[in-house]
Amino acid sequence: MMRAGQVRTDIVLLGGGHAHVHVLKAFAMKPEAGVRLTLVTRDLETPYSGMLPGVIAGLYAEREAHIDLLRLSAVTGTRLIHAEAIGIDRGQKRVLLAGRPPIAYDLLSIDVGITPALAHIEGAAEHGIAVKPIGSFLGKFAALRARCRMPDGPRRIAVIGGGAGGVELILSVRSHLLADARVEGRETAFSFALVTDGEILATHDPKVRDSFRRALAHRGIELHERQPVQAVMPGAILLKDEQTVKADAVLVTTGAAAPPWFRSTGLALDPDGFLAVGPSLQTLNDPDVFAAGDCATLVETPREKAGVFAVRAGPPLARNLRRLVRSEPLGPWRPQRRHLALISTGERYAVASRGAFKTEGAWVWRWKDWIDRRWMRMYQDTNAMLARMPKPRPAPDAEEQMRCGGCAAKIGPLPLSQALSKLPPPIVDGVLVGLETPDDAAILQPPTSGYLVQTVDFFRAFVDDPFVFGEIAANHALNDVFAMGGVPRHALATAVIPIGPAAKVEEALFQLLSGVRACLDREHVALVGGHSSEGMDLSLGLSVTGEVASDHILRKGGLGVGDALILTRPLGTGILFAAAMRGLAAAASVDDALAEMRRSNRQAAEILRGHGATAMTDVSGFGLIGHLGEMLTASGAEAELDLSSVPVYAGALAKARDGVASTLLAENLAQLPLLRGEIDTATKAVLFDPQTSGGLLAGIPAEAAGECVAALRSARHAHVAIIGRIGKLGVGKAGASVRVGGTFSTSGV
Ligand SMILES: Cc1cc2nc3c(=O)[nH]c(=O)nc-3n(C[C@H](O)[C@H](O)[C@H](O)COP(=O)(O)OP(=O)(O)OC[C@H]3O[C@@H](n4cnc5c(N)ncnc54)[C@H](O)[C@@H]3O)c2cc1C
C-alpha cells in the first residue's frame, strides 16, 4: 500500500507475466532506496503456464494455477494499477492506458505476452477458438464444456498445432470432457483429432514423438501429421490436400502475434513485430525500456516462446533494472539452448524430454507437480514472503523529516499549475470565477430556487492507485448531497501528496485530480478550486456544494411505522481493504467492491425519493448500525433487521471471521447498545464496518417497497435489498434500537 517517502525512480512493469512476478519479489526482498515499483496489469490474476494443461485436464483448480497480483503487490509494497496499456509515449516517458490518463515512468519493462492471431488460417477467426494467450483460454474452455453438455452440443473436437502446447491440450481437453460426461451420466461419444503441418513435437527427440504418438493412438485421438490446414469451416477443417477433418469445435494453438500497439511505440521490433531486445533485456533502441517473456525476442539468442523462458528471464531482468538505477554496468543473459520439458498426457502421467534424454511415468508427473507447486508457492504464499522480507522499512530521510509546515507545506506553484494544465477543460456551469481563471476563491451563482446543500469529507488513501482513489473519494463525497435529496453542483478539493521531487508530486497530483474529475465530470459537477499540501500519506478531501428543492429535502428523521429499510450496496469495504493492505484479500473480491464503489448513487437516490422515501442517509464511516442508529434516534423509532437479506461483499464475512477488521471498528462498536439480539463477533464486525463510498439507506413506505427495489434492480443496482422494517415509533431518542435476526447469506454478492 501507499508509503510516504521520496520516490526518485519510478519503475513501471507493464503486464503481470512470469518474469515480472519475480521482479516484484526481488525488489521486495532487497528494496532499492528511492525506487517505486508500479505494476500495470489488465488481469488481476495471472496464470502459470506450467500448470495450465493440468487445469484444463481438471487436475488443478484454477485458483491453484493463478497468481493473485493484488495480493502479491500488497505484500511486496508494489503500486498496482489495474488497467490495460494501449501504447507508450516515449517522448514524455508515459504509458498510455485505456479509459484513464497515462502514467509516467523513469524505467519501463514490458512482459505482456502475446495476442491471438488467427488470420493465418482462413475462417479460423470466425469458426475456431484461439488458445493463446493462455489467460483468456480458460473462460473459452469453460464455455466449450457448457456447450458439450447440451444434447446437440459439439462432439467432434480438434486441435490445430502439434507443438508441446497442442499435444498437451488435446490430451487434457479429452480427459476433462470425458470426465464431465462420466460424472453427469451422459454418453461419451466424443471424437478427438490433432492436426499439424509437420511432425508433432518437432523440437523434441524422436523417442518423445513416438511416445506421444502411442499415447494419442491409445486414447483414440486421430493424428494428422504433415497436414497443413487451409481453412476452418463450420463443422470441418479443410486441409491443403482438399481432404477434411470433421470437427464441431476447433482449438487453434498456432496463431500468436505481438500486441499491435507495439508498432506505434517506435521501439525496435523483430520481423514479426515482437520487441527486439539485446542480452541485457533492454530494447535495442531505448535503454530505458526493457522487455521479457513471449512479447520479446532476444535477437542474439532467439528461443521459442515458452513460459519456461519467461520464468528464467525474471532474475536477469530484476538484476539489470537494479543495476541501471544504480548506474552500474548491466550483465548479459544467455538462456540455455536446451531445457527440460515435462509434458503431461492429460492424466497424472508425464514424459520428460531434454535433448536425447527421455523418460516417462506417473512419477514424472509427480515430479512436475512438485516443481510447479514449489514455483507457485513462491508467489502465492504471502506469509512466507513477508517472513523473509527485511524489516523495518527505511525511515524517511533527513530532508523529509525537516520539511516545513504551515503554508510552507503547500505544493509549489509549478507542479500544481502543471498538473492542473493537463486536466480536461473545467465545467463552468454556474461558475463566475473558478479554475479556468484561478483567484483567491471561487465565485458561484446561487440556485434560483430552493436551498444550498454543503458537505465535506476527507480521508487517507486506501488503495495505491491515485486515480482510483480520487474517483472513489469524489463519489463518496457526493453521496452526502444525494442522501439529502440534493443535486451536487460544485466541489473544492483538498489534496495531500506524499513528499517527493517536484516531478513525482506533480504526477501524483495529476493522477489524483484526474480520478476526481472522472467522477465529477460524469456527474456534471464543476471542480472550482482547492488546496494542495505535501504530507506523509496520499489523502484527499472534497467539499461539495449542491442545491435542493424544498420539497425534495430528505432528513435522517421521518421514518414511519412499517417502512421498509432499503440498502443499495453491500457492506464490508472496511474489512476488505484492511485485508487487502495485509495481502490477505482475493483480487476478485476487491475488484468487485471497487467496481461498486466507483458507481454513482445519483440514480438510486432519485428512485428512492420517487418511491416516497421518508428518510435517507448514506452508509459511511460509522457502519450500517451507526448510521441506522442516527436515523432511528432522529425518528424516535425501533427497527428490525433480517440479516439474511443484508448484502455483504464476497469475502468480507470470511475475512471478518479470520479476525480482519478496520481500525475504526473498535470506536464504532461504542454504538453496540443499540442492538437487541445475539450476534457473533464477525457479524458485529460487518454491521459496524466503516464504509467508503457505501450505499444509500432509506425508509420506504411498505406498499411502495417492492416496486422501488425492482426499479433499483433495473437501474443495475444488483445488490439492493430490503434489509428490515421499522417496528415502532415514538420511543424517544433513548429508546431507539435495532432488533437483529437471522444470519448473513452472502451468496449472489
Ligand atoms: C495451452 C497452453 C499450454 C502451455 N503450456 C506450457 C508449459 O507447460 N510450459 C511452458 O513453458 N509454456 C507453456 N505454454 C506457453 C506459455 O503459456 C507462455 O509462453 C507464457 O505464458 C508466456 O509468459 P509471459 O510472461 O510472456 O506472458 P503471460 O503469461 O501471457 O503474461 C502476460 C501478462 O500481461 C498482462 N497483459 C497483457 N496485455 C496487457 C496490456 N496491454 N496491459 C497490461 N497488462 C497486460 C496479462 O494480463 C498477463 O498477466 C503454454 C501455452 C498454452 C497456450
Side-chain angles (χ1 to χ4, degrees), residues 288-374:
D288 289 343
V289 180
F290 292 68
D294 279 6
C295 69
T297 298
L298 281 152
V299 287
E300 289 181 21
T301 51
R303 295 287 180 267
E304 66 180 296
K305 302 220 174 285
V308 62
F309 292 113
V311 166
R312 287 181 188 178
L317 176 64
R319 266 196 306 277
N320 279 343
L321 285 166
R322 195 187 294 280
R323 284 176 180 158
L324 194 58
V325 170
R326 294 179 179 175
S327 305
E328 291 172 2
L330 274 53
W333 178 51
R334 300 198 190 284
Q336 285 167 284
R337 190 169 292 280
R338 285 187 182 150
H339 68 276
L340 176 71
L342 301 172
I343 311 166
S344 68
T345 60
E347 290 128 23
R348 290 185 163 81
Y349 191 96
V351 178
S353 158
R354 187 176 197 275
F357 169 78
K358 180 235 138 194
T359 184
E360 64 185 86
W363 69 272
V364 179
W365 190 86
R366 287 196 296 276
W367 179 30
K368 172 174 165 54
D369 177 60
W370 179 81
I371 293 173
D372 288 338
R373 284 184 190 273
R374 190 184 54 164

Side-chain angles (χ1 to χ4, degrees), residues 443-480:
I443 301 183
L444 311 172
Q445 224 133 37
T448 46
S449 64
Y451 297 93
L452 282 176
V453 201
Q454 283 199 310
T455 175
V456 65
D457 266 299
F458 185 86
F459 48 81
R460 205 170 62 213
F462 60 96
V463 284
D464 267 345
D465 181 340
F467 176 85
V468 171
F469 171 53
E471 193 182 4
I472 291 177
N475 215 14
H476 179 96
L478 300 186
N479 279 346
D480 285 325

Side-chain angles (χ1 to χ4, degrees), residues 14-19 40-43 45-47 49-53 56 69 83-86 111-114 131-134 137 165 168-169 261 292-295 305-310 342 368:
L14 212 53
H18 296 62
V40 177
T41 182
R42 185 189 58 201
D43 302 300
E45 288 165 292
T46 199
S49 55
M51 288 170 88
L52 232 103
I56 295 165
L69 295 173
E84 182 173 9
I86 49 171
D111 177 15
V112 292
I114 46 170
V131 173
K132 294 175 180 172
I134 52 173
F137 178 66
E168 271 189 302
L169 186 69
W261 57 265
D294 279 6
C295 69
K305 302 220 174 285
V308 62
F309 292 113
L342 301 172
K368 172 174 165 54

Side-chain angles (χ1 to χ4, degrees), residues 320-555:
N320 279 343
L321 285 166
R322 195 187 294 280
R323 284 176 180 158
L324 194 58
V325 170
R326 294 179 179 175
S327 305
E328 291 172 2
L330 274 53
W333 178 51
R334 300 198 190 284
Q336 285 167 284
R337 190 169 292 280
R338 285 187 182 150
H339 68 276
L340 176 71
L342 301 172
I343 311 166
S344 68
T345 60
E347 290 128 23
R348 290 185 163 81
Y349 191 96
V351 178
S353 158
R354 187 176 197 275
F357 169 78
K358 180 235 138 194
T359 184
E360 64 185 86
W363 69 272
V364 179
W365 190 86
R366 287 196 296 276
W367 179 30
K368 172 174 165 54
D369 177 60
W370 179 81
I371 293 173
D372 288 338
R373 284 184 190 273
R374 190 184 54 164
W375 192 83
M376 283 304 275
R377 263 199 307 277
M378 292 198 293
Y379 305 101
Q380 284 181 326
D381 187 349
T382 45
N383 286 336
M385 225 182 293
L386 280 169
R388 289 183 47 217
M389 268 178 208
K391 296 179 209 68
R393 300 214 152 245
D397 65 22
E399 190 202 338
E400 196 174 311
Q401 287 174 7
M402 291 173 62
R403 303 290 281 222
C404 296
C407 257
K410 270 178 78 153
I411 287 173
L414 197 59
L416 178 62
S417 61
Q418 299 268 42
L420 290 175
S421 70
K422 284 190 258 166
L423 295 172
I427 291 172
V428 291
D429 281 4
V431 182
L432 210 63
V433 177
L435 277 179
E436 73 295 358
T437 53
D439 215 307
D440 292 326
I443 301 183
L444 311 172
Q445 224 133 37
T448 46
S449 64
Y451 297 93
L452 282 176
V453 201
Q454 283 199 310
T455 175
V456 65
D457 266 299
F458 185 86
F459 48 81
R460 205 170 62 213
F462 60 96
V463 284
D464 267 345
D465 181 340
F467 176 85
V468 171
F469 171 53
E471 193 182 4
I472 291 177
N475 215 14
H476 179 96
L478 300 186
N479 279 346
D480 285 325
V481 177
F482 294 138
M484 298 299 294
V487 180
R489 293 283 185 229
H490 308 110
L492 296 164
T494 303
V496 178
I497 305 294
I499 296 162
K504 302 292 171 198
V505 169
E506 176 195 321
E507 171 70 6
L509 189 61
F510 165 67
Q511 293 290 335
L512 185 74
L513 292 180
S514 296
V516 170
R517 284 290 304 272
C519 167
L520 296 186
D521 289 5
R522 264 195 312 263
E523 302 292 337
H524 208 73
V525 175
L527 181 67
V528 293
H531 178 86
S532 53
S533 170
E534 57 179 28
M536 291 301 280
D537 296 306
L538 183 74
S539 307
L540 178 70
L542 276 108
S543 163
V544 182
T545 305
E547 53 194 58
V548 62
S550 52
D551 56 345
H552 282 191
I553 295 173
L554 279 164
R555 306 286 311 269

Side-chain angles (χ1 to χ4, degrees), residues 246-299:
K246 302 275 183 232
D248 309 315
V250 179
L251 312 181
V252 188
T253 68
T254 51
W261 57 265
F262 282 3
R263 296 208 178 270
S264 62
T265 61
L267 288 166
L269 304 178
D270 78 357
D272 294 323
F274 293 96
L275 296 166
V277 298
S280 62
L281 293 169
Q282 284 163 304
T283 49
L284 294 186
N285 60 345
D286 190 337
D288 289 343
V289 180
F290 292 68
D294 279 6
C295 69
T297 298
L298 281 152
V299 287

Side-chain angles (χ1 to χ4, degrees), residues 723-739:
I723 61 167
R725 55 184 284 278
I726 299 303
K728 214 174 175 188
L729 276 185
V731 297
K733 277 189 181 179
S737 64
V738 187
R739 180 164 300 282

